[in-house]
Amino acid sequence: MLLFLSVPQPRPPGARTRVGAARVVRWRRQRLQQLRRLRGLLRGLRGRPEAGSRRRGRMALCGQAAGAASLPSELIVHIFSFLPAPDRLRASASCSHWRECLFYPALWPQLRICLRVSPAEQPRLEFLMRKCGWFVRELRVEFAAENYLSGGGGPGDGGGSDTGTGGEDVESLQLSTRWLEVLRTYLELVLCVLVSIRNNRNLQKFSLFGDISVLQQQGSLSSTYLSKVDPDGKKIKQIQQLFEEILSNSRQLKWLSCGFMLEIVTPTSLSSLPNSIANTMEHLSLLDNNVPGNSTLITAVELERFVNLRSLALDFCDFTAEMARVLTDSNHVPLQRLSLLVHNASVMHKSLDNMPNDEHWKALLRKSASLRVYIMAFDIKSEDMLKILKPSIPLERIHFDSYITCVSGAIVDLISRQYDKFLTHFILMNDVIDTSGFPDLSDNRNEDPLVLLAWRCTKLSLLAVHGYTVWAHNLIAIARLRGSDLKVLEVTEESIDFDQGELADQDVDPVHNLIEQGNRGTDVVSVRLPPDPSFKWYECCAFNVIGQSAIIK
């Protein structure tokens, strides 16, 4: 089928004058040449073979492929920009020219990588970082927590003498070998990432998130296994030097986050950051409990350079009264988010005597009226939490997670009294292996502390409990107190306890009946029952669903 286009012909310049006659002839010749070129281009794109000529038909088909491949790179990149990443990969398989356009810098300004610590990930990571590492503007690398080791055990489990049976000895040896392989692969993956971006001066956001479960395992991972994988410390030193080189070469860095990464950040790392970059940095997160002794990753003197910080995350024991004073200086912009990690390992080796008192918090709140604080507490004793929880802290989110030390009802009651105007997220986890007997926060109390928390904290939008006994009628009371304002109410099924009298009168599943009772009076309730237990801690107060949970949200 032929398509004819009728194009109105403009009047030739100088057509009414004799002087312009020669100019008209030249103009018409140029127009004729342009139309001939356009007709030839359309014939090549159609690729329609001539009748009776097989050879010319093949040439026309080749011309069709050549037409697709001859599109300008800018046009291909523009087409790719409308496609999601999987479709870009499929489209890039058309020809080599399209493959070259796949990794055009404008298509990949942001790159988020979630890695399994496995040798199979290394070649794919090397290919991706070789293509994108030199120009990517926002890079986020996560080491998936559930893929370190599954089936229990930790670094401390594989070490020491073998005193059990022969089968236990073999299992312990296999676990130790797996940990050595995990750490060896971990170091190689980290080196691959850092080497690829060492000369990237366009980097604006750089985030590295390790495995929080390593922090909670028994024993010291760095001293037990890193010394076997890297006996001379050459790889660790190379990683630290590369990290400092990235900081020193940066020219546009606004966001730096390094959480739970083994042996990457040192107390001298931030000194390599140029003053021009430190003065414009907006987010800084340094969370690492492997720093020996009383060393800190950032000091108050170093913090004075970061005058433009909007968000800060660090170990609670490193956040001193002097740091609070620095953040209240007139040359600093108001701080909006402050995330503090409280871990028993830090509290044991570092003192709480230098932490800000109530007056420091009041001064900081006067400087930063919109400041909100997140606290993550791991295995902290109640007496230490009583020292930490100052009344003037604008606490918005708090996450308790423990293996040994349980949170008391008095701490929950104190939180509900002091932070009723700010608290929005309350997460209470007790990762015990024996589920036969969970601690009961309402033991020997007239009112359940969680019910009082829901009653007092009018802004509460998320409440999650695991590993503590929660009575069914209290869950119904919490759901009805907050109504639709409570977006997520999550309690694992094994944590829910029922009155025996109620169970005797019910013919249906008690959990199903509990959800129906909790949903009464609200229109936004939905129920999810995740199949597998999963915890991920990549950012401050990042929380994912636990298996077999009854969720009212």
Side-chain angles (χ1 to χ4, degrees), residues 229-290:
V229 175
D230 187 25
D232 299 330
K234 292 182 179 180
K235 285 189 177 180
I236 293 296
K237 187 174 294 184
Q238 184 182 1
I239 288 174
Q240 295 171 354
Q241 291 175 352
L242 284 171
F243 186 78
E244 294 179 1
E245 186 177 351
I246 292 170
L247 297 185
S248 62
N249 291 335
S250 61
R251 295 296 180 268
Q252 303 181 38
L253 195 62
K254 303 288 184 182
W255 180 292
L256 178 61
S257 182
C258 188
F260 315 116
M261 298 295 295
L262 297 175
E263 308 289 343
I264 288 186
V265 186
T266 65
T268 60
S269 296
L270 290 180
S271 60
S272 58
L273 198 66
N275 287 331
S276 59
I277 302 301
N279 293 338
T280 58
M281 186 82 70
E282 297 180 359
H283 173 84
L284 179 62
S285 176
L286 300 176
L287 300 174
D288 191 355
N289 279 277
N290 292 304

Side-chain angles (χ1 to χ4, degrees), residues 285-344:
S285 176
L286 300 176
L287 300 174
D288 191 355
N289 279 277
N290 292 304
V291 181
N294 294 324
S295 301
T296 59
L297 297 178
I298 183 171
T299 61
V301 177
E302 189 73 34
L303 189 62
E304 291 179 355
R305 298 198 299 156
F306 297 86
V307 296
N308 203 43
L309 274 185
R310 264 74 170 180
S311 177
L312 177 64
L314 69 165
D315 192 278
F316 182 86
C317 295
D318 295 343
F319 186 68
T320 61
E322 184 63 20
M323 279 191 176
R325 185 199 62 77
V326 169
L327 293 174
T328 58
D329 288 345
S330 58
N331 61 334
H332 279 256
V333 300
L335 193 66
Q336 297 178 359
R337 291 290 181 268
L338 178 61
S339 302
L340 300 173
L341 172 67
V342 191
H343 193 267
N344 62 340

Side-chain angles (χ1 to χ4, degrees), residues 280-485:
T280 58
M281 186 82 70
E282 297 180 359
H283 173 84
L284 179 62
S285 176
L286 300 176
L287 300 174
D288 191 355
N289 279 277
N290 292 304
V291 181
N294 294 324
S295 301
T296 59
L297 297 178
I298 183 171
T299 61
V301 177
E302 189 73 34
L303 189 62
E304 291 179 355
R305 298 198 299 156
F306 297 86
V307 296
N308 203 43
L309 274 185
R310 264 74 170 180
S311 177
L312 177 64
L314 69 165
D315 192 278
F316 182 86
C317 295
D318 295 343
F319 186 68
T320 61
E322 184 63 20
M323 279 191 176
R325 185 199 62 77
V326 169
L327 293 174
T328 58
D329 288 345
S330 58
N331 61 334
H332 279 256
V333 300
L335 193 66
Q336 297 178 359
R337 291 290 181 268
L338 178 61
S339 302
L340 300 173
L341 172 67
V342 191
H343 193 267
N344 62 340
S346 298
V347 175
M348 289 173 58
H349 295 92
K350 301 177 183 179
S351 175
L352 294 175
D353 298 336
N354 297 325
M355 66 179 179
N357 56 31
D358 207 46
E359 295 301 322
H360 293 115
W361 284 108
K362 290 180 181 179
L364 187 57
L365 198 55
R366 286 194 297 267
K367 168 69 177 181
S368 307
S370 61
L371 175 64
R372 295 297 179 265
V373 176
Y374 305 168
I375 291 182
M376 301 155 282
F378 295 96
D379 270 330
I380 299 297
K381 299 178 181 178
S382 297
E383 51 268 24
D384 292 329
M385 286 304 303
L386 292 175
K387 298 177 183 178
I388 292 171
L389 295 174
K390 303 298 182 184
S392 298
I393 298 178
L395 184 64
E396 185 177 70
R397 301 185 183 187
I398 188 164
H399 180 128
F400 290 99
D401 201 342
S402 58
Y403 281 87
I404 304 172
T405 306
C406 297
V407 177
S408 64
I411 296 297
V412 179
D413 186 68
L414 178 67
I415 292 173
S416 65
R417 291 178 183 276
Q418 292 187 165
Y419 312 115
D420 55 316
K421 297 179 180 179
F422 301 102
L423 192 68
T424 62
H425 289 59
F426 187 83
I427 303 171
L428 190 61
M429 300 291 156
N430 183 25
D431 303 321
V432 293
I433 300 176
D434 183 15
T435 59
S436 58
F438 289 151
D440 189 356
L441 296 175
S442 62
D443 191 21
N444 299 324
R445 289 174 174 268
N446 295 328
E447 297 292 341
D448 186 90
L450 294 177
V451 176
L452 293 176
L453 181 81
W455 174 56
R456 292 167 178 160
C457 301
T458 56
K459 295 183 178 180
L460 189 67
S461 61
L462 185 147
L463 176 61
V465 181
H466 166 65
Y468 291 85
T469 298
V470 184
W471 291 91
H473 59 270
N474 288 333
L475 284 177
I476 296 173
I478 292 171
R480 294 182 179 177
L481 276 171
R482 292 272 57 89
S484 60
D485 294 334

